[in-house]
Amino acid sequence: MRQLLPRASDRVDPYDAYRPDDPHAPFLRLNMVASADGAVTDRRGRSGGLGGDGDRVVFRALRALADAVLVGAGTVRAERYGPHRPPEALAARRFADGRARPAAIVVVSQSLDVDIGAPLFTEAEVPTVVLTCAASDPDRRAAIERVGRLVVAGDARVDLAAGLTGLRERLGCAHVLCEGGPTLNAALLAAGLVDELCLTVAPQLMGGSGPRLAADLEPSRDLDLIAVCEQDGELLLRYRLTREWP
Ligand SMILES: NC(=O)c1ccc[n+]([C@@H]2O[C@H](COP(=O)([O-])OP(=O)(O)OC[C@H]3O[C@@H](n4cnc5c(N)ncnc54)[C@H](OP(=O)(O)O)[C@@H]3O)[C@@H](O)[C@H]2O)c1
């Protein structure tokens, strides 16, 4: 992978390139892949058909740098989501950075319509967390607590800001990587909770009227471009967002 910005370099190591100066500071990074015409799903309604090797390498590096991977229940239902299993070399670098175990997967859900018999729960070395609100179904909450962990934030709706504070204070998850999807992204962006957007632009035109990176984003946001890498025609863009909502 080569880097074009902020400095030109023929070869960069994604773990080093994306590693924050303080890897344990509170940070929320959003990572998505989109086609050149802005589609975030392929024709099967998943993201798998969009990303190439460069996207996969960065995806793994970003997970290795995170304490927790936050994901919307819609994405878990649409994709085959499993627990974080870093490859050996990345696990060693993660360990050297003070992270002895894989990242916890944190599923945001109000309905609690999640398959607790799936490997995401049954095969997780670090228990999978479900972030929900007090109004969610108590029986489903109890069932989830038998196989994973539950963080309750908000009464009638999930309070994402309080949920992130809960993850930080109760589970020690400071550096959080959000992997979508568009509904969760929009809520996080609207709440001003995103520090950085990592966006892979795949060299494809997908057409159609499928979802974009953030559903229902109002008002629009400006982004500061801070880094650009490239591999096999894929652009790996990195944008900074300010925490304050304008
Ligand atoms: N290109 C990419 O990089 C990428 C990445 C991720 C996903 N995707 C694609 O995006 C699609 C899924 O997107 P999506 O927008 O439908 O799903 P999503 O954002 O992953 O999940 C939506 C669900 O998450 C829960 N949720 C999200 N925000 C919430 C909030 N603020 N409060 C309470 N619950 C909240 C709700 O779950 P409950 O319904 O359980 O209450 C909601 O129905 C899939 O096709 C997937 O392949 C693409």
Side-chain angles (χ1 to χ4, degrees), residues 174-213:
H175 183 119
V176 177
L177 170 69
C178 176
E179 294 183 343
T183 306
L184 178 59
N185 295 348
L188 290 168
L189 288 161
L193 295 170
V194 180
D195 297 298
E196 186 177 297
L197 167 65
C198 295
L199 174 65
T200 301
V201 178
Q204 290 183 45
L205 294 172
M206 195 57 67
S209 56
R212 310 248 302 268
L213 189 149

Side-chain angles (χ1 to χ4, degrees), residues 33 40-41 45 73-75 77 79 108-111 179 181-184:
V33 56
V40 297
T41 53
T75 296
R77 291 189 284 262
E79 313 252 350
V108 184
S109 176
Q110 185 138 352
S111 71
E179 294 183 343
T183 306
L184 178 59

Side-chain angles (χ1 to χ4, degrees), residues 35-109:
S35 65
D37 54 342
V40 297
T41 53
D42 59 22
R43 297 197 188 277
R44 296 169 309 154
R46 299 195 194 145
S47 57
L50 291 167
D53 288 348
D55 181 62
R56 278 186 280 278
V57 167
V58 168
F59 178 90
R60 285 195 286 266
L62 296 186
R63 280 190 160 200
L65 286 161
D67 295 308
V69 175
L70 187 70
V71 61
T75 296
V76 171
R77 291 189 284 262
E79 313 252 350
R80 245 176 261 116
Y81 243 77
H84 180 217
R85 289 194 188 97
E88 213 172 303
L90 280 174
R93 298 177 80 177
R94 186 175 166 79
F95 187 80
D97 259 338
R99 295 184 168 95
R101 299 204 297 163
I105 306 286
V106 181
V107 184
V108 184
S109 176

